[in-house]
Amino acid sequence: MMKKLFLIVLLILRAAPVLADGPNGDVVIWGDNYTLKEGQKIDGELLVYGGNVQLENGSEVDSGVTVFGGNLDIYGEVDGDVTVWGGNVHIHSDAIVRGDVMSIGGNVNRDSGADIRGREIDGLPFEAPR
């Protein structure tokens, strides 16, 4: 019975996109695309599971951005690290990232004029054990 109940809860959670605010102004998105509009600011981390993300010009994330299973387009500012698992990162010409940018299972694309103050990392930043 517990196994069936767990399966039902899991299916319900997967079916509905969720926007949840975490502690310290964090924003967590489950199963949906997300756009941070011009002039909007997140006072914490942005975490997106299973969706594409666009940070418009004039938007700002006060900490880092993490995306699992989606692509990230940055036109605005990120005041921390950017990590994308299973997707690509595109940093456009007016974007500012004040940390490292890493894509695991995808690529980091940087337009000329983009301001990245940390490292650009494609893949894991260390040698995986064999």
Side-chain angles (χ1 to χ4, degrees):
M1 178 64 177
M2 280 302 266
K3 202 181 232 186
K4 287 182 184 179
L5 181 59
F6 176 75
L7 224 56
I8 291 169
V9 170
L10 185 63
L11 289 172
I12 290 170
L13 288 175
R14 274 194 54 83
V18 175
L19 170 62
D21 291 329
N24 306 319
D26 298 340
V27 174
V28 181
I29 310 294
W30 290 88
D32 204 4
N33 295 326
Y34 181 76
T35 300
L36 187 62
K37 302 278 187 194
E38 181 179 349
Q40 291 182 325
K41 181 178 181 181
I42 294 175
D43 292 322
E45 296 275 339
L46 172 60
L47 297 119
V48 178
Y49 300 91
N52 297 312
V53 179
Q54 182 172 333
L55 307 178
E56 291 185 352
N57 197 359
S59 67
E60 185 177 352
V61 178
D62 196 35
S63 196
V65 176
T66 304
V67 179
F68 292 91
N71 297 311
L72 172 61
D73 276 300
I74 303 174
Y75 295 87
E77 296 183 28
V78 178
D79 290 331
D81 294 334
V82 170
T83 306
V84 176
W85 297 80
N88 299 307
V89 181
H90 188 172
I91 299 114
H92 295 268
S93 61
D94 291 335
I96 300 171
V97 178
R98 294 180 183 93
D100 294 340
V101 177
M102 180 168 61
S103 176
I104 299 144
N107 298 304
V108 175
N109 300 304
R110 174 187 188 170
D111 290 353
S112 66
D115 185 359
I116 300 174
R117 305 208 177 143
R119 299 172 295 159
E120 292 178 54
I121 305 163
D122 285 322
L124 295 172
F126 54 86
E127 181 74 27
R130 295 176 192 233

